[in-house]
Amino acid sequence: MAAQGYVQTSLIWVTYGVAVVLALIAASITTFTWQTPRERSATVSTVAIISLTALLATVLLLPVDIALVSSTTSTALGVKKDWATPARVDNILLTLKIVYYSLYSFDALLCLLIIPFSYFWYEEYDEVEEQEGNQTFGSRLWGAFKYTIAFILLVVIIFLVGFFVPAAGSRGGGKHLDLDFFKRLLDENHGEKALTFGLGLLITLGTLLYILYTGAGLALFPISFIKSAPAISAPQLSENTASQLEQNRERQRQLEMRNAGRPEGMPAKDRRELEALAREERTLVRRERLAAEAQGEGKGFVVRAWHKICAVFRPLKLIGGIILIVLALLIWVSMLITGIDKAANSVCKEHCGYILAHINVFQPINWIFVQTAKAFPVDYVLMALLILLFFSSTISGVATIGIRFLWLRIFQIRKGRTAPQALLMATVMLALIMLGINYAIAMMVAPQYASYGTQTFCDLPPAHPFARPDCSETPEAVKPCSEWADAARGRRHQQQVCTPTVMSTFLNRVTLNWPVFGAVAFWAQFAFLAVFLIVFLTSLFRAPRLDLSEFDEEAEANEEEGLLATTGRRFGATWQDITGRAKRSSNGSNGAGAGNGSGSGV
């Protein structure tokens, strides 16, 4: 039996390792797909890939956590399996805790130190200065480090505050709680308390971003499968562009012929019109060329075949969009039910971040996970797919909204058009948002399943003091595990059988020790639901349209190597104001280089 336990836990960890490798591949594809080729930086690409892989590894650890703690219990009998001795269970939990703390600490290190340093490292790069020998590795390293010092001080301050400031939950001595489960959460050392404070702060920041980007993305992502804008390669667009181009050139010929014989030359009015027509002609030519490329004209067989395959599978895309809409609405309803249930029936209300002892109302998503758990490993696959849905929706939201400060757009996130600075900032935002998604899934979407998985306990008294309850003949006495059992005997036996997941224990510890974090994270879920509903209804009844101005901007960006009018260059100009020196173009001419920008970093 012990060998069976080792085999089962080993298979779960091997599956997780495979998932991390797939996450690495997905992170690499995402990075190279969104990053602009002409400004690609090896440092930025590497940091972005590692960061995306780390945050995906963090969120994909939740199904592993659930699978490991569930594997220790016999669901049918409500007792621990023979191989699941207390020492063995403690060893499993210790391994999970080490992996969790390592990943969370690495995520925090990436957000607060490594990514900011990479950002400044890229901004310090000057191609001309390096070619002339004026910029050395050491000078560039110091230039990036001195701007990262502020983030280092921020990390130190956060750790010191968490280390020395007494937790709010410990000041009350836990008197408002009569549950041993919650009291045990207060038993931690100062190092763990500092870590929970720091990560609680990051989870709160991530939750605020999660409201806007994930809320909007979860509504837009499924609808984009069904009601996408007209394709830029539509024959109608090509025909309209060709017609407009013909009319434009005919009008230019008329103006030139009308003014050909005038000795005084062309009047100012006609000259302005001719210049405007020339600018419009260049735009139409670019639009016509890109429309032809989008149709596959002049491309290889593989590209043309890909366009045909996309057309063939377009009905499946429609069906997938409908399924995702149903799933998104089901998630919305489940989160609303859990939120109302927690607000009304939480055992300790705002003192512990609205922890719910057990579900009092039927919750669809939680029920689906419990039922699919009967067919191993369907429930774990569904949990992984649910996490990927939230992650994909977040990317969709970031791409749609962009990186903003209030109503001002700082960076725009577009496929093949994302500046390295924007990629790094988007990576930080994704890392913070995934912390908020972890809370939402574990505490709102499927709270009971995420806390105890498929574990059950036998709610019968033992035959004698040192025996364990036997429900083999009374299966109706087998009950799902929760934070609170109604009867005292059930509570004692539940503590021996039910093992909470490390993720739920950690989140409960954060919300119990720092109730303000728990309150903000809980009530933010209702704001998330409101944003989702508003965006969903708006996009549902809003007709899709093709943004020709965006199309023309993309065409112009293809032909011209960087414009000062783009957001990334405006941000680069701001950096030059801060550092007090301008970056010369690769041509070595400051005047002529105004339209070229700096070269790509390394």
Side-chain angles (χ1 to χ4, degrees):
M1 296 299 291
Q4 180 182 359
Y6 279 111
V7 171
Q8 188 171 2
T9 55
S10 298
L11 285 176
I12 293 173
W13 281 114
V14 169
T15 305
Y16 176 69
V18 173
V20 172
V21 173
L22 294 177
L24 175 62
I25 297 174
S28 303
I29 295 174
T30 302
T31 300
F32 289 112
T33 300
W34 289 86
Q35 191 175 14
T36 178
R38 67 174 178 270
E39 295 183 353
R40 185 164 292 164
S41 165
T43 302
V44 172
S45 300
T46 303
V47 171
I49 291 172
I50 293 175
S51 301
L52 291 175
T53 304
L55 68 93
L56 282 174
T58 303
V59 295
L60 289 176
L61 191 59
L62 179 58
V64 176
D65 191 0
I66 297 172
L68 287 174
V69 297
S70 298
S71 66
T72 63
T73 305
S74 173
T75 306
L77 300 177
V79 295
K80 286 291 186 185
K81 295 179 180 179
D82 294 336
W83 62 267
T85 61
R88 185 69 188 282
V89 173
D90 290 341
N91 184 54
I92 292 175
L93 295 179
L94 178 61
T95 304
L96 278 170
K97 182 181 291 188
I98 292 174
V99 176
Y100 263 119
Y101 279 0
S102 299
L103 286 175
Y104 269 123
S105 300
F106 186 55
D107 290 339
L109 189 67
L110 286 168
C111 291
L112 297 176
L113 291 180
I114 296 179
I115 294 180
F117 177 81
S118 302
Y119 182 95
F120 299 129
W121 171 267
Y122 177 81
E123 284 289 355
E124 283 293 317
Y125 177 73
D126 191 316
E127 183 179 2
V128 176
E129 290 286 336
E130 186 177 47
Q131 290 177 353
E132 294 178 354
N134 297 328
Q135 185 181 61
T136 62
F137 177 84
S139 63
R140 187 180 176 189
L141 181 66
W142 168 246
F145 178 75
K146 66 183 179 181
Y147 293 107
T148 315
I149 294 177
F151 291 89
I152 297 177
L153 294 177
L154 177 63
V155 173
V156 173
I157 291 172
I158 291 175
F159 185 82
L160 291 178
V161 170
F163 191 87
F164 291 107
V165 174
S170 62
R171 289 197 297 267
K175 295 180 179 179
H176 58 281
L177 304 174
D178 59 351
L179 304 178
D180 293 336
F181 171 78
F182 297 125
K183 291 179 180 178
R184 288 196 302 271
L185 296 179
L186 295 174
D187 298 332
E188 58 178 351
N189 56 46
H190 287 286
E192 287 182 320
K193 186 165 66 71
L195 184 60
T196 56
F197 175 80
L199 291 178
L201 181 61
L202 294 179
I203 289 173
T204 303
L205 295 176
T207 301
L208 298 179
L209 295 173
Y210 149 88
I211 293 173
L212 178 62
Y213 290 101
T214 310
L218 189 60
L220 294 172
F221 182 66
I223 293 179
S224 66
F225 280 75
I226 298 177
K227 207 171 70 172
S228 59
I232 62 174
S233 59
Q236 186 64 41
L237 176 62
S238 299
E239 293 178 6
N240 291 342
T241 303
S243 176
Q244 293 174 15
L245 185 59
E246 183 180 356
Q247 294 175 8
N248 178 286
R249 288 171 175 170
E250 179 63 27
R251 178 58 180 166
Q252 289 189 58
R253 283 194 296 268
Q254 291 176 1
L255 290 174
E256 291 173 352
M257 292 177 61
R258 186 174 66 187
N259 296 281
R262 291 188 177 183
E264 66 276 9
M266 186 179 295
K269 178 181 178 181
D270 289 350
R271 190 182 306 110
R272 287 194 299 269
E273 183 180 0
L274 187 62
E275 292 174 354
L277 288 171
R279 289 193 298 268
E280 183 184 9
E281 181 187 16
R282 290 193 295 270
T283 299
L284 291 173
V285 169
R286 286 191 297 263
R287 187 185 302 175
E288 185 179 46
R289 178 177 56 81
L290 275 190
E293 289 179 358
Q295 285 181 299
E297 296 182 6
K299 299 290 184 179
F301 171 78
V302 175
V303 176
R304 294 196 303 271
W306 174 253
H307 284 287
K308 298 295 183 182
I309 293 174
C310 291
V312 170
F313 286 98
R314 196 166 296 158
L316 295 181
K317 184 179 179 181
L318 176 64
I319 296 174
I322 295 175
I323 295 175
L324 288 178
I325 285 181
V326 173
L327 179 58
L329 292 176
L330 196 62
I331 292 173
W332 189 88
V333 172
S334 298
M335 293 181 68
L336 181 63
I337 291 174
T338 303
I340 296 174
D341 193 6
K342 284 192 170 191
N345 303 309
S346 174
V347 294
C348 46
K349 301 295 182 180
E350 68 278 0
H351 298 294
C352 62
Y354 294 89
I355 295 176
L356 188 64
H358 55 84
I359 294 178
N360 299 279
V361 185
F362 174 75
Q363 213 262 36
I365 295 293
N366 195 84
W367 180 83
I368 289 174
F369 277 113
V370 173
Q371 296 302 315
T372 54
K374 300 176 182 178
F376 177 85
V378 177
D379 54 328
Y380 308 128
V381 174
L382 290 179
M383 176 59 73
L385 293 177
L386 178 65
I387 292 172
L388 293 178
L389 173 62
F390 273 88
F391 178 74
S392 302
S393 300
T394 303
I395 292 180
S396 177
V398 172
T400 303
I401 300 172
I403 301 175
R404 296 175 179 266
F405 177 74
L406 299 178
W407 62 89
L408 301 177
R409 175 175 286 177
I410 302 176
F411 284 113
Q412 189 173 7
I413 309 297
R414 294 168 59 190
K415 288 184 178 180
R417 297 290 181 271
T418 305
Q421 302 96 322
L423 186 64
L424 290 173
M425 293 184 68
T427 303
V428 172
M429 292 171 57
L430 285 174
L432 293 174
I433 291 173
M434 293 311 292
L435 297 178
I437 290 176
N438 256 346
Y439 175 88
I441 292 178
M443 296 293 150
M444 298 293 292
V445 180
Q448 185 173 344
Y449 176 79
S451 297
Y452 288 97
T454 60
Q455 295 179 89
T456 57
F457 72 100
C458 179
D459 194 18
L460 289 179
H464 51 82
F466 297 100
R468 61 184 184 182
D470 185 8
C471 287
S472 56
E473 298 181 358
T474 55
E476 64 277 3
V478 177
K479 298 181 179 180
C481 291
S482 64
E483 283 88 347
W484 197 4
D486 295 330
R489 68 169 184 273
R491 189 185 307 172
R492 286 195 301 270
H493 181 57
Q494 181 184 238
Q495 291 176 6
Q496 299 173 359
V497 176
C498 298
T499 304
T501 60
V502 176
M503 170 60 72
S504 65
T505 302
F506 178 76
L507 292 176
N508 287 333
R509 177 169 291 166
V510 170
T511 57
L512 186 62
N513 282 294
W514 313 98
V516 62
F517 294 151
V520 171
F522 172 72
W523 291 109
Q525 306 305 315
F526 290 96
F528 167 85
L529 297 177
V531 170
F532 170 88
L533 186 61
I534 293 172
V535 175
F536 179 77
L537 294 177
T538 302
S539 58
L540 194 64
F541 295 103
R542 181 183 178 185
R545 60 185 178 86
L546 177 62
D547 190 353
L548 289 179
S549 62
E550 181 179 338
F551 183 48
D552 294 336
E553 181 184 345
E554 180 178 351
E556 187 175 359
N558 273 342
E559 288 190 351
E560 301 180 10
E561 288 294 324
L563 300 173
L564 285 174
T566 61
T567 307
R569 290 295 181 258
R570 288 199 301 269
F571 220 73
T574 303
W575 176 258
Q576 294 169 22
D577 291 337
I578 294 174
T579 57
R581 65 177 187 271
K583 291 186 178 181
R584 291 176 290 175
S585 67
S586 57
N587 294 331
S589 174
N590 290 331
N596 295 332
S598 61
S600 61
V602 292

